[in-house]
Amino acid sequence: MRFFVSSLLFFSLFFSLGAQSVKGKETELASKSVTLHYKVEKNLLKKLLVELGYKILSDEDKLLIVSYQDYKVGLVSGNDSSIQFYSSFNTDKKNKIELANKWNQKMRYSRSYMDADGRLILESDFDYSGGVSEEGIKEFLQKFQILNSQFSTLLILAE
């Protein structure tokens, strides 16, 4: 019985502290002034990319070629309500299609496929048609960094 009471006290204390920290986050977010962008201009994208450590290699009409770490990737802004990251991987692995399928079955927020030239492609789309904050854009850019690194690791470790 004593164990039950101790456990009950522990869980109630734990969950009440958790609720306070979530409530504190909500208050913190509510106090910040957040600007929503319904159209993301290329200059804003470039600014956020540089802030996150990307280097801009090429700036074409609707395509930015950027690099970070050892990766070179494309960022396509095809319309006024979305952007897409695109990364290409040359590999001589015999099981490319199986690796892409394995990725697509297990991972979220991206897709992989083999293009007509035999390269594995990793893409990730970000739809901001309902509006997006600069922090939301940064989170997408950071998420793609992680996905790109994980995909690269999958290719290196695959047999």
Side-chain angles (χ1 to χ4, degrees):
M1 182 70 169
R2 183 180 294 175
F3 174 75
F4 175 75
V5 172
S6 299
S7 297
L8 186 61
L9 286 173
F10 171 77
F11 284 116
S12 65
L13 178 62
F14 176 78
F15 286 114
S16 68
L17 289 176
Q20 289 174 353
S21 65
V22 170
K23 189 174 183 178
K25 287 273 188 198
E26 289 173 354
T27 305
E28 178 185 329
L29 289 173
S31 68
K32 288 183 179 180
S33 175
V34 176
T35 302
L36 289 182
H37 300 273
Y38 296 94
K39 181 178 180 184
V40 177
E41 301 291 336
K42 191 183 280 189
N43 286 337
L44 175 59
L45 277 177
K46 289 166 59 174
K47 175 185 143 275
L48 297 175
L49 285 161
V50 169
E51 285 177 10
L52 291 173
Y54 286 87
K55 181 180 177 187
I56 298 172
L57 302 176
S58 173
D59 181 355
E60 299 173 20
D61 182 33
K62 294 187 178 208
L63 174 67
L64 289 171
I65 304 295
V66 297
S67 68
Y68 69 93
Q69 298 170 355
D70 293 332
Y71 301 104
K72 186 164 101 173
V73 299
L75 184 62
V76 180
S77 54
N79 59 42
D80 291 339
S81 63
S82 69
I83 54 178
Q84 179 187 71
F85 251 126
Y86 174 95
S87 190
S88 172
F89 296 85
N90 288 322
T91 181
D92 58 356
K93 303 280 183 182
K94 301 292 184 217
N95 58 343
K96 288 187 230 185
I97 296 296
E98 289 83 12
L99 292 172
N101 285 339
K102 181 179 177 181
W103 178 268
N104 292 335
Q105 288 170 352
K106 294 187 181 221
M107 299 302 288
R108 296 179 61 197
Y109 309 112
S110 65
R111 70 189 152 277
S112 175
Y113 58 91
M114 190 169 70
D115 71 3
D117 296 324
R119 295 178 302 223
L120 282 179
I121 306 300
L122 182 68
E123 291 180 346
S124 186
D125 293 298
F126 183 57
D127 178 9
Y128 54 83
S129 56
V132 66
S133 67
E134 289 184 17
E135 285 303 312
I137 298 168
K138 282 183 175 181
E139 285 179 21
F140 168 70
L141 299 174
Q142 290 170 322
K143 188 178 294 178
F144 189 77
Q145 284 179 348
I146 294 166
L147 291 169
N148 203 53
S149 295
Q150 289 175 335
F151 191 77
S152 178
T153 301
L154 170 72
L155 294 179
I156 292 168
L157 297 178
E159 304 207 12

